Amino acid sequence: QVQLVESGGGLVQAGGSLRLSCAASGRTFSTDFMGWFRQAPGKERELCASINWSGGAAYYADSVKGRFTVSRDNAKNTVYLQMNSLKSEDTAVYYCAAREVASGEYDYWGPGTQVTVSS
């Protein structure tokens, strides 16, 4: 099992920045990618960004490309999401997830952290 806990959410004005953190514990060696997902009210959950533990290869959704940066600190088993130039449409609950190597699925999820961007 892998345990994930997000932190860093909050209320910010449009144009502002926030940094989310995701601390991972447990069998993290069984995972390869860490993803940041978000879900706004009435919308489907979407993958914003992901990064792998080993090589640092990163993926970004078009909606956040150029504004969000995902990074990891392997020594701390922590993944970050730096969010700049925030827009009202970025308002959502943000979830950290870990992809299990064996299944190829994001099997482990954190409880989520609310990000609210006021216009």
Side-chain angles (χ1 to χ4, degrees):
Q1 289 290 329
V2 176
Q3 293 77 42
L4 304 172
V5 179
E6 305 96 339
S7 61
L11 174 64
V12 63
Q13 288 188 334
S17 299
L18 279 176
R19 189 177 83 154
L20 305 183
S21 299
C22 173
S25 60
R27 296 172 54 90
T28 57
F29 56 84
S30 69
T31 63
D32 55 0
F33 274 83
M34 298 293 293
W36 283 101
F37 292 77
R38 68 184 181 185
Q39 187 164 23
K43 294 188 177 182
E44 291 190 356
R45 186 172 58 196
E46 67 166 335
L47 175 63
C48 299
S50 65
I51 189 167
N52 65 351
W53 285 113
S54 58
Y59 158 84
Y60 297 95
D62 288 342
S63 57
V64 307
K65 199 172 294 182
R67 300 187 299 122
F68 290 11
T69 303
V70 62
S71 61
R72 86 264 188 256
D73 183 332
N74 289 4
K76 296 182 179 179
N77 276 350
T78 300
V79 178
Y80 305 96
L81 185 68
Q82 178 67 43
M83 305 185 294
N84 298 330
S85 302
L86 283 162
K87 307 174 182 180
S88 58
E89 51 262 44
D90 294 318
T91 295
V93 177
Y94 284 72
Y95 299 92
C96 172
R99 195 176 82 169
E100 174 73 44
V101 173
S103 68
E105 302 290 338
Y106 283 95
D107 289 332
Y108 307 105
W109 294 82
T113 186
Q114 177 70 47
V115 171
T116 302
V117 183
S118 63
S119 56

